[in-house]
């Protein structure tokens, strides 16, 4: 079965691992590039790298991002030299950023670089970029500053209250042919339990991608990043509340109403089922906390059965 997954970083990678573990699935993952940022002259693409490292089995399982068995000596040198080092970049990780930056400087397509990196790491899942153009999340805080995603998320630890989210470069961005083909050719489209506002929105917002998804005949199933009314981690709840959206599975259903036929929610949120159905997507209750590979694979299997097994 051809499955296309829309995914951010940590939540997205968990869903990707579960789907990739299925024998009968050919998986394409469209990742988020709006967290990308330049550090020390190097182009860093955190969500794409989280997908690559996770699917390669190289991820630091404790923190869910970064490479296992990592050191920080390069960062120590940068610190000694007076550079800002709030963005934690490990020594092994730096190698990838150097390679990516060098190839971008040569004019290689970011999509080709991501594909070659994934292959070199032994990843057989297709990791696709929604666009080869630069699109970057910008967050306006209540004190009037515009922050990049990493400034907000890492440097300021999500402390500032958000007033507005924008994506620079979005209007001019063109979708990649690979992403459009994966969407059009998919037999099932899954929206990972990623941050709807800063992981999924910048994929859906690339001109042509949202339209392709709406035009796709495949069933579309989203998974809620909220469990028992709370996010597993990260700022999605506070961001949604700050923007006047409901910070729960109903809010997610409303966000994806035009897109998802179904929303998989946790048993703990079963009471929200009627309100979710009223937004559009049909709710399906499951156990959606993914700790182990077995959890991820079980949830993926259940999603496939929802899509393909006759009810
Ligand atoms: P990021 O780019 O690393 O922030 O990751 P994503 O945007 O892909 O995912 C962040 C979201 O994943 C958060 O809102 C979490 O609530 C959600 N999340 C993390 N782990 C799980 C899980 O095991 N199950 C579910 N349902 N959501 C999860
Ligand atoms: Ca991210």
């Amino acid at each position: 079965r051809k499955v296309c997954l829309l995914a951010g970083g940590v939540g997205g990678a968990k869903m990707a691992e579960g789907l990739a573990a299925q024998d009968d699935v050919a998986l394409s993952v469209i990742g988020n590039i709006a967290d990308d940022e330049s550090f020390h002259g190097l182009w860093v693409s955190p969500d794409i790298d989280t997908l690559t490292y996770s699917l390669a089995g190289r991820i630091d399982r404790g923190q869910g991002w970064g490479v296992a068995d990592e050191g920080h000596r390069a960062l120590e040198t940068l610190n000694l030299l007076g550079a800002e080092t709030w963005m934690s970049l490990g020594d092994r990780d730096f190698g990838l950023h150097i390679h990516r930056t060098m190839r971008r400087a040569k004019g290689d397509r970011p999509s080709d670089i991501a594909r070659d990196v994934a292959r070199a790491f032994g990843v057989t899942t297709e990791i696709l970029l929604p666009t080869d153009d630069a699109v970057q999340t910008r967050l306006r805080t209540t004190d009037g500053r515009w922050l990049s995603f990493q400034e907000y998320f890492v440097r300021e630890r999500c402390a500032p209250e958000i007033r507005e989210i924008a994506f620079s470069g979005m209007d001019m961005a063109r979708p990649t042919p690979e992403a459009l083909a994966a969407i059009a050719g998919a037999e099932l489209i899954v929206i990972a339990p990623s941050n709807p506002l800063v992981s999924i929105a910048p994929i859906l917002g690339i001109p042509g991608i949202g339209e392709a998804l709406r035009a796709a005949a495949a069933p579309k199933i989203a998974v809620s990043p909220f469990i028992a009314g709370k996010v597993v981690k990260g700022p999605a709840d506070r961001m949604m509340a700050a923007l006047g959206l409901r910070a729960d599975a109903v809010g997610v259903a409303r966000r994806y109403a035009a897109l998802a036929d179904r929303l998989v929610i946790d048993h703990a949120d079963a009471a929200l089922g009627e309100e979710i159905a009223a937004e559009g997507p049909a709710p399906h209750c499951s156990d959606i906390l993914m700790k182990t590979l077995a959890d991820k694979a079980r949830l993926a299997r259940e999603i496939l059965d929802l899509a393909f097994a006759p009810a």
Side-chain angles (χ1 to χ4, degrees):
R1 299 284 191 177
K2 286 192 190 175
V3 179
C4 177
L5 173 72
L6 309 188
V10 175
K14 288 183 177 184
M15 196 71 254
E17 284 186 85
L19 287 164
Q22 311 299 317
D23 295 335
D24 55 345
V25 165
L27 181 62
S28 304
V29 185
I30 302 179
N32 170 41
I33 54 106
D35 290 2
D36 290 16
E37 192 166 335
S38 175
F39 293 96
H40 317 294
L42 303 175
W43 195 254
V44 179
S45 191
D47 284 0
I48 301 301
D49 292 349
T50 294
L51 287 170
T52 304
Y53 292 144
S54 295
L55 291 166
R58 298 285 297 268
I59 200 84
D60 180 329
R61 295 280 168 199
Q63 53 186 19
W65 53 272
V67 190
D69 185 29
E70 185 58 289
H72 291 86
R73 297 190 174 197
L75 215 61
E76 277 171 31
T77 302
L78 285 160
N79 195 40
L80 176 82
L81 296 171
E84 277 188 51
T85 51
W86 48 263
M87 183 72 174
S88 171
L89 299 167
D91 298 335
R92 294 181 189 278
D93 197 32
F94 261 116
L96 171 45
H97 307 317
I98 291 167
H99 178 80
R100 172 188 291 120
T101 304
M102 179 215 43
R103 287 193 54 185
R104 288 174 70 104
K106 276 201 310 186
D108 287 351
R109 288 174 70 221
S111 289
D112 291 342
I113 304 169
R115 180 201 59 215
D116 293 346
V117 167
R119 278 195 194 149
F121 274 87
V123 174
T124 50
T125 295
E126 273 194 315
I127 298 177
L128 307 177
L129 308 191
T131 179
D132 284 320
D133 299 319
V135 172
Q136 288 177 300
T137 297
R138 295 278 178 252
L139 302 140
R140 189 163 67 88
T141 61
T142 46
D143 56 9
R145 296 176 302 151
W146 280 100
L147 302 178
S148 75
F149 183 77
Q150 303 305 339
E151 286 168 343
Y152 166 75
F153 190 73
V154 181
R155 190 184 69 196
E156 311 210 0
R157 298 170 201 276
C158 308
E161 201 69 7
I162 294 306
R163 169 123 333 141
E164 182 184 354
I165 302 175
F167 302 106
S168 69
M170 184 69 94
D171 295 351
M172 303 296 287
R174 291 147 302 171
T176 62
E178 290 91 343
L180 293 178
I183 293 167
E187 293 166 86
L188 167 64
I189 293 167
V190 180
I191 303 177
S194 291
N195 187 317
L197 300 180
V198 292
S199 292
I200 302 297
I203 301 174
L204 300 179
I206 303 293
I209 296 271
E211 291 82 343
L213 284 163
R214 279 186 287 277
K220 297 164 196 120
I221 302 180
V223 182
S224 172
F226 286 88
I227 298 180
K230 292 197 188 73
V231 287
V232 179
K233 63 188 275 274
D237 52 351
R238 284 184 43 233
M239 283 182 160
M240 286 177 74
L243 297 185
L245 306 168
R246 260 184 79 159
D248 63 6
V250 179
V252 175
R254 192 169 296 163
R255 287 288 299 180
Y256 297 150
L259 212 61
D261 315 310
R262 286 175 182 272
L263 179 66
V264 182
I265 61 172
D266 200 81
H267 289 297
D269 292 314
L272 298 175
E274 268 181 41
E275 281 181 280
I276 289 168
E279 298 295 337
H284 172 83
C285 289
S286 181
D287 189 355
I288 64 167
L289 183 63
M290 295 175 278
K291 286 187 179 157
T292 64
L293 180 60
D295 297 337
K296 298 167 192 168
R298 201 220 75 251
L299 180 57
R301 188 75 251 161
E302 205 170 314
I303 291 169
L304 291 165
D305 289 346
L306 265 183
F308 300 122

